[in-house]
Amino acid sequence: MEEPESYIDRIQRLANRNKELKSQLDDLVARFSAIETQNKSYQDALSKFSLDAEKKPKDARKHAKRLRMVSLIYVSVRGFHKLYKFDDPAPMIDLLDELYLALDEIAFLNNIVKIKSVGDVNIYAAGLQTENRTNPIDVVQVALEMQKAVKRLKKKNSLSIWRLRIGLHTGPLTAVPNGNKVSTYSFSGDSINIACRIGEAVSGSSIGATVMTYELIKEFYDTRLIGKIPVKYKGNLGVYQIRGIIPELESETEPGIPNEKFKLKYSTLQFMDVQEELLDYLEKKLPADLYYHNIKHTIDVVTEVELIGWAEGVSDEDVLLLKLAALFHDAGHTISYKDHEHYGTVMAREKLSSYDFSPQQIDTVCRLIMATKMPPAPSDILEKIICDSDLDYLGRTDFIPVSNTLYKELHEHDMIGSWSEWNKLQLKFIRKHQYFTKTARQLREVNKQQQIERLEQLIKESTLIE
């Protein structure tokens, strides 16, 4: 028979039980405290995220960029409705993967950016980095390359079912920062919707383009009007089918590849972009004490090299290179007054390298810039043209007022003394100077003789006053 529990043993047992319960309670309190702390941190993070989410649209809209001229490519892969006919569709899926990779590679190699991808549809854009006049041509060329990629798949596997439907449109776009590491901006605007509608509207494997794109590429590509499509707030937009490069601008040996005429026309458009960008830069960066070597002088020289170049019968490419050299020949003044020609070549190499000008063309531009260094000593017809253009004012009717601005500039740079000394120096220079091209001699030599007489008279009058 079990002995009854003594009073002392019972008290001891209850004390141990209380001690055990207290330990469990302390553990629960500690765990609760930890959970509460963690929960508070989660609430704080959630609250911060909610606030950021509320602020983000406002901040994003505040920093949104309005891009005035972006060209879009809508690409839709077709052929899925035929996939069920294959007992083993794996080869077709492999070809599809290969096609998607080819599309992205073609876009990447041509500086075209993918901005949206939904299902079997991709949308690419050109002109996002900088506004330029050539992005409509770029997207057409990329679209043609993409169609070639489909043909290569067909050649690789005659059973290939894949084809592309492509729509092109040029117009404004809004870029809104989104803080995404993968894609810094999200894009929106009617232009995307229009490109999609054109892409869906064209038949077969066609490349369709709106009238906006057509107007900017019609001198490069063979097109035909295929109809009109209604667009909200824009009326009926003309839609054009792009067949390929105009025959006279296409390589005779490689169909679909631009020839030298095409490239020259393209470079001429790029010159307009370079000119706009550089003149804007000069307007902001040229020192205020450049009364002669200012934007007006740069524009005058660009105009004159084109005039003399055509008259002297040099090639279209040479005229383009002359205009580029004229554009940069005084740009070095933004860096240093002395040796500005050298700094002009540095700027030209950096800027033109970011365009499609060849190393040989850039070398020629830099050589022509250095040819303007005083005293002029041209070695070929192109150097003669730019030297005559740079000193064109010597034979113009506004010689005296232009000469006055040069004196004021040199005087403030402590490079010339009195007005009388300047006139004597000018007279000595103009008497020795000769125009190098037949065109400049015909246009300016007679007036230059008149300037000599005017300078002689000014020097005589200043001598009498003294």
Side-chain angles (χ1 to χ4, degrees), residues 308-347:
I308 298 177
W310 293 131
E312 290 293 314
V314 301
S315 69
D316 293 351
E317 181 181 4
D318 286 339
V319 169
L320 174 62
L321 299 181
L322 282 164
K323 290 168 68 177
L324 285 168
L327 194 60
F328 282 93
H329 88 286
D330 276 343
H333 278 112
T334 59
I335 300 174
S336 172
Y337 197 84
K338 184 180 179 181
D339 296 329
H340 66 270
E341 297 91 354
H342 165 70
Y343 291 110
T345 64
V346 173
M347 294 173 68

Side-chain angles (χ1 to χ4, degrees), residues 192-387:
I192 294 177
N193 298 330
I194 294 172
C196 293
R197 293 194 65 183
I198 298 301
E200 288 299 318
V202 295
S203 61
S205 300
S206 301
I207 300 175
T210 62
V211 65
M212 291 80 163
T213 302
Y214 161 77
E215 289 293 340
L216 298 167
I217 59 94
K218 62 184 179 182
E219 294 183 5
F220 293 82
Y221 296 97
D222 178 20
T223 61
R224 71 180 181 93
L225 180 65
I226 56 176
K228 295 185 177 182
I229 187 169
V231 177
K232 192 175 182 180
Y233 305 126
K234 297 183 184 297
N236 294 325
L237 293 185
V239 180
Y240 293 79
Q241 181 185 3
I242 298 174
R243 299 171 169 179
I245 300 174
I246 291 175
E248 66 184 64
L249 301 179
E250 185 178 36
S251 170
E252 294 182 0
T253 57
E254 299 179 82
I257 300 299
N259 63 14
E260 292 304 316
K261 287 184 179 180
F262 184 107
K263 294 175 183 178
L264 182 58
K265 286 174 70 70
Y266 185 90
S267 295
T268 302
L269 287 179
Q270 287 192 313
F271 166 79
M272 297 171 68
D273 289 326
V274 175
Q275 178 175 247
E276 183 177 323
E277 184 179 352
L278 186 63
L279 291 181
D280 182 62
Y281 175 82
L282 294 179
E283 187 175 9
K284 295 174 182 176
K285 298 296 184 180
L286 279 176
D289 58 5
L290 293 184
Y291 308 105
Y292 173 78
H293 293 101
N294 51 26
I295 291 181
K296 181 183 181 305
H297 173 66
T298 296
I299 295 173
D300 285 346
V301 178
V302 171
T303 304
E304 200 63 26
V305 293
E306 185 171 23
L307 187 154
I308 298 177
W310 293 131
E312 290 293 314
V314 301
S315 69
D316 293 351
E317 181 181 4
D318 286 339
V319 169
L320 174 62
L321 299 181
L322 282 164
K323 290 168 68 177
L324 285 168
L327 194 60
F328 282 93
H329 88 286
D330 276 343
H333 278 112
T334 59
I335 300 174
S336 172
Y337 197 84
K338 184 180 179 181
D339 296 329
H340 66 270
E341 297 91 354
H342 165 70
Y343 291 110
T345 64
V346 173
M347 294 173 68
R349 285 191 184 280
E350 181 179 357
K351 176 53 62 179
L352 299 182
S353 295
S354 64
Y355 287 83
D356 292 326
F357 298 101
S358 69
Q360 294 77 16
Q361 290 176 319
I362 296 174
D363 286 343
T364 299
V365 168
C366 293
R367 175 172 62 83
L368 295 176
I369 293 172
M370 292 306 299
T372 63
K373 190 175 181 67
M374 299 297 290
S379 60
D380 63 16
I381 184 60
L382 298 186
E383 291 184 5
K384 291 177 181 179
I385 290 171
I386 197 167
C387 286

Side-chain angles (χ1 to χ4, degrees), residues 77 145 165 189 227 261 326 393 431:
V77 178
E145 287 295 323
R165 189 178 291 177
K261 287 184 179 180
Y393 82 98
R431 277 175 172 167

Side-chain angles (χ1 to χ4, degrees), residues 130-146:
T130 56
E131 293 185 6
N132 56 66
R133 292 169 174 81
T134 55
N135 68 66
I137 301 167
D138 296 337
V139 296
V140 173
Q141 201 58 35
V142 164
L144 292 171
E145 287 295 323
M146 288 178 171

